[in-house]
Amino acid sequence: MAFNIKLLLAICSVALFFTLVSADLSKEDIDGFVEEHNKARAQVGNRPLKWNATLAKYAQDYADKRVDDCAMEHSMGPYGENLASGEGITADLSGTDAVNMWVAEKAFYNYDSNTCADGKVCGHYTQVIWRNTTRVGCAKVRCNSGGTFIGCNFDPPGNYVGQKPYKPYNSYAKILPCARCMDVPIIFTIGNNVE
């Protein structure tokens, strides 16, 4: 009997832990975060991210600290991090909305120079698509002001100076002239990375 009680307590503790990790997120919320990140990553040929409970707990712990002020201040932790908030009309910002805001920065990113347009921000976008990042965890809280605070953490983090967030598609292909085809090249691909 004592063994069964200990087992039951252990199971309840694990269930409570996972409930607290994503206290404000439904399965649909989690799926929305992951799907939107992965759509952007697929556009540049990077592997999809996977949801990570440790990162989600870190994000939730930090979001809980921002509930009084909804301040857009980074945690300065060991992970990559994107933040978003909504006030007024956008007070009930969704995870999908937040990721789409970050991805919209794509318009300001120049791959060739690996820089943002003058006076613009694009680092949230580059973190979303960073090629070496494999895991994401996010959180959302309703602030006392009525606004929403959203944070996503990434591991391994991205945005390293001098590195690019992805390799262009054409770096995966080698174009060779066709000896018998006059003006039509033949494309030899490595893997399935050429569209």
Side-chain angles (χ1 to χ4, degrees):
M1 180 74 175
F3 174 76
N4 289 338
I5 291 174
K6 287 180 183 179
L7 180 61
L8 181 60
L9 286 173
I11 291 170
C12 289
S13 295
V14 169
L16 178 61
F17 170 77
F18 283 109
T19 299
L20 293 175
V21 164
S22 299
D24 295 326
L25 298 180
S26 67
K27 179 170 178 0
E28 291 78 24
D29 289 331
I30 293 169
D31 290 346
F33 276 118
V34 174
E35 287 172 16
E36 293 306 310
H37 278 90
N38 288 338
K39 282 180 192 175
R41 294 175 67 80
Q43 289 176 357
V44 297
N46 284 348
R47 292 185 194 117
L49 297 179
K50 292 185 180 178
W51 185 260
N52 182 273
T54 301
L55 295 173
K57 180 174 181 348
Y58 182 88
Q60 187 66 55
D61 288 348
Y62 186 66
D64 290 342
K65 292 177 183 174
R66 299 270 58 107
V67 80
D68 287 332
D69 60 13
C70 230
M72 296 290 291
E73 298 172 7
H74 284 281
S75 68
M76 306 310 286
Y79 306 114
E81 182 171 71
N82 282 352
L83 303 177
S85 69
E87 298 285 337
I89 296 172
T90 62
D92 192 24
L93 190 69
S94 72
T96 298
D97 294 334
V99 178
N100 287 332
M101 285 172 37
W102 302 326
V103 171
E105 294 176 4
K106 176 181 184 177
F108 309 125
Y109 176 66
N110 181 307
Y111 180 84
D112 293 331
S113 65
N114 199 29
T115 60
C116 303
D118 287 342
K120 300 294 184 179
V121 174
C122 65
H124 301 101
Y125 168 67
T126 55
Q127 176 58 81
V128 166
I129 62 164
W130 198 261
R131 72 175 173 236
N132 294 332
T133 300
T134 58
R135 295 172 293 281
V136 65
C138 304
K140 173 183 172 180
V141 295
R142 187 68 132 180
C143 299
N144 293 337
S145 65
T148 303
F149 180 92
I150 293 175
C152 288
N153 290 98
F154 303 87
D155 189 53
N159 289 342
Y160 287 99
V161 175
Q163 295 182 22
K164 292 186 176 184
Y166 63 94
K167 292 182 180 180
Y169 280 118
N170 65 4
S171 70
Y172 297 107
K174 185 174 184 180
I175 301 176
L176 300 174
C178 175
R180 296 181 296 159
C181 305
M182 303 305 263
D183 297 323
V184 182
I186 296 175
I187 299 176
F188 294 91
T189 62
I190 302 169
N192 294 319
N193 297 313
V194 175
E195 294 187 336

